[in-house]
Amino acid sequence: MTSDRPDTNAPEEAYVWIWLPGATVPVVAGRIARDGGRMIFNYGRSYLDRNDGIPIYEPELPLRSGAIAPEAGLSMAGCLRDAAPDAWGRRVILNRTFGRKGKDVDIAALDELTCLLASGSDRTGALDFQHSPSEYVSRAVQAATLEELLSAAEKVEQGVPLTPALDLALFHGTSLGGARPKAMIRDSDTKMIAKFSSRTDTYNVVKAEFVAMRLAARVGLDVSPVRLAHAAGKDVLLVERFDRPKTNDGWKRRAMVSALTLFGLDEMMARYASYEDLAEIIRHRFTSPTATLHEMYGRLVFNILCGNTDDHARNHAGFWDGEHLTLTPAYDICPQSRTGNVASQAMLIVGDDRTSTLGTCLAAAASFQLSENAAKDIIARQIDTIRDGWDDICEEAALTDVERNLFGQRIFLNDFVFEGTAESLR
């Protein structure tokens, strides 16, 4: 795999457009431009003169004139990076630009401004990036069936160039985060993310995430609604987008920031992200802090019970209205297969401990304003609900006997999560 930078004619600037709270059309907010290895942001004068303008995210990009450099250790503001494509979107961009050669180009070599301007406009949150400060042009909205999108995703994984029609259809989802194949679709008044299997999967990841998301809702967590679909003989997970409310006037966009941005970290420093620090931020900056802390603790517990060790800081987020943060519904609860029993969470849980056990969860309870007994009650209720609802959800997912045994014996309620924990919690 080559590390040569493929975008030798990389852009020097991009204009940031934003959907203000309640709006169905965007306005230009400012400009991001290259300054050596950093990206500097400036709010536009027209935006600063608005009565309804909000900071893109505060304290990172306060609403003021002048150049705003990224915080120490960052190459660009995290709230802007949140709107950029991740591994899958970059792979699609490389396929579109280089065809078969794109398979052998390092996705990390793609210039950040290139990614912002070359990805689809219907990205997560309320931002988009344009070449112009005065004319907004939405990029690549092309209707396609799930079968067509699935076929396009498989071709991208194989490094096969797409036809123009399939290229446009799959391009619509390039601005989504994550590393797995996906696309965006619309069903009546709902926008959804379609998640596909990957040719590198060693188990049915799509069904595993469906089971986890449905069980998470059953235990009482606030999660994105999901359903299973089938295309070309394969399973597809459809996840409702919670950042796209539909109104009579059109689609609104809800601004969001990832926990990685809340921490002031980038991907290279993500290993320092912790649930304890997130709890501290929730206490001081989120609406309904006590209820939010309890919800977040429930998500931590469920991640451990369902085997989701991919709970990194980009998989937690808050809505931003210009003044306050509010926890978004949970998403990307995807159980991970394990070869042995021992497992660790992507984020630290308490102190330097990220061990995937309920004992570690109990040690962190005080950070979430929970007593040990209250935390044990949450854990016990989730275990009971998972066991009570297991057969129903497995039937709903049409799991084979092999899949049911794998999920039930190796992933969900794995014996390791109970190590060092009171026997009563088993």
Side-chain angles (χ1 to χ4, degrees):
M1 179 176 288
T2 178
S3 60
D4 293 340
R5 188 166 121 172
D7 47 342
T8 54
N9 297 316
E12 293 297 316
E13 64 180 16
Y15 291 93
V16 183
W17 290 65
I18 185 171
W19 278 254
L20 293 170
T24 56
V25 294
V27 297
V28 65
R31 170 179 172 267
I32 184 171
R34 193 187 315 280
D35 179 24
R38 302 185 306 167
M39 302 294 177
I40 307 298
F41 178 79
N42 282 267
Y43 281 106
R45 173 52 56 191
S46 63
Y47 188 76
L48 292 173
D49 289 341
R50 298 181 66 95
N51 293 325
D52 58 351
I54 65 170
I56 293 176
Y57 172 61
E58 207 166 35
E60 194 172 42
L61 294 181
L63 199 57
R64 62 172 174 81
S65 60
I68 305 176
E71 296 180 358
L74 302 180
S75 61
M76 70 182 299
C79 58
L80 300 180
R81 174 61 182 85
D82 283 342
D86 283 335
W88 172 250
R90 292 167 190 247
R91 180 60 62 200
V92 177
I93 292 170
L94 285 172
N95 181 281
R96 155 178 278 221
T97 307
F98 298 100
R100 287 184 181 275
K101 294 180 181 178
K103 183 181 180 183
D104 299 317
V105 177
D106 186 355
I107 58 174
L110 268 178
D111 177 80
E112 205 66 47
L113 283 178
T114 298
C115 290
L116 294 175
L117 291 167
S119 49
S121 290
D122 201 6
R123 64 188 74 243
T124 301
L127 299 180
D128 194 20
F129 302 87
Q130 298 278 307
H131 290 283
S132 170
S134 57
E135 181 183 10
Y136 179 80
V137 180
S138 182
R139 291 186 294 278
V141 178
Q142 175 76 25
T145 66
L146 277 178
E147 287 80 3
E148 290 170 331
L149 291 168
L150 180 60
S151 174
E154 290 174 342
K155 284 180 169 60
V156 167
E157 282 200 298
Q158 296 164 10
V160 177
L162 303 178
T163 64
L166 283 183
D167 178 63
L168 281 176
L170 196 61
F171 176 79
H172 188 41
T174 53
S175 52
L176 295 172
R180 294 188 56 78
K182 59 178 65 68
M184 284 191 283
I185 63 172
R186 177 178 169 182
D187 180 15
S188 184
D189 290 337
T190 304
K191 290 191 175 185
M192 294 180 291
I193 298 171
K195 293 186 166 185
F196 309 119
S197 60
S198 169
R199 62 193 180 96
T200 61
D201 289 344
T202 57
Y203 64 104
N204 196 322
V205 176
V206 169
K207 282 188 175 181
E209 184 170 352
F210 172 79
V211 171
M213 294 287 282
R214 293 286 290 115
L215 284 172
R218 282 212 180 190
V219 303
L221 298 178
D222 180 19
V223 300
S224 303
V226 296
R227 59 186 174 91
L228 272 180
H230 304 279
K234 297 187 177 181
D235 300 305
V236 180
L237 181 68
L238 300 180
V239 186
E240 288 190 20
R241 293 188 64 175
F242 46 72
D243 60 339
R244 290 296 184 270
K246 179 73 182 317
T247 69
N248 292 333
D249 297 327
W251 295 95
K252 296 180 181 179
R253 301 195 180 192
R254 298 193 67 178
M256 293 168 50
V257 288
S258 71
L260 199 63
T261 293
L262 299 180
F263 293 137
L265 302 175
D266 66 7
E267 279 78 8
M268 299 300 293
M269 299 183 286
R271 65 186 180 278
Y272 299 113
S274 77
Y275 280 98
E276 277 187 309
D277 289 344
L278 183 55
E280 182 73 12
I281 293 170
I282 289 171
R283 281 196 295 272
H284 290 96
R285 301 202 57 206
F286 275 66
T287 58
S288 305
T290 300
T292 302
L293 285 168
H294 294 175
E295 168 73 17
M296 182 54 66
Y297 188 76
R299 295 183 189 186
L300 166 60
V301 169
F302 187 79
N303 281 335
I304 288 176
L305 292 177
C306 80
N308 175 31
T309 54
D310 192 35
D311 56 339
H312 56 79
R314 283 209 182 279
N315 281 342
H316 303 285
F319 291 122
W320 168 252
D321 65 4
E323 294 184 30
H324 307 103
L325 289 161
T326 304
L327 194 65
T328 72
Y331 56 93
D332 285 354
I333 304 177
C334 189
Q336 309 293 306
S337 181
R338 58 176 83 182
T339 53
N341 280 335
V342 179
S344 299
Q345 298 305 119
M347 290 199 346
L348 295 166
I349 300 173
V350 57
D352 293 327
D353 194 352
R354 62 177 84 238
T355 311
S356 305
T357 65
L358 297 175
T360 314
C361 271
L362 288 173
S367 296
F368 295 86
Q369 296 184 354
L370 288 164
S371 67
E372 182 176 346
N373 285 337
K376 285 183 176 180
D377 286 344
I378 290 173
I379 293 171
R381 283 198 303 270
Q382 288 200 13
I383 293 172
D384 288 344
T385 302
I386 290 171
R387 286 176 172 155
D388 291 343
W390 181 252
D391 288 338
D392 289 343
I393 301 298
C394 288
E395 288 294 327
E396 191 178 342
L399 295 185
T400 66
D401 289 342
V402 171
E403 290 168 341
R404 187 182 292 223
N405 290 335
L406 171 65
F407 294 174
Q409 296 177 15
R410 297 294 304 151
I411 299 178
F412 292 81
L413 301 184
N414 185 283
D415 284 344
F416 176 70
V417 307
F418 296 99
E419 288 196 8
T421 307
E423 186 64 28
S424 62
L425 285 177
R426 287 183 180 271

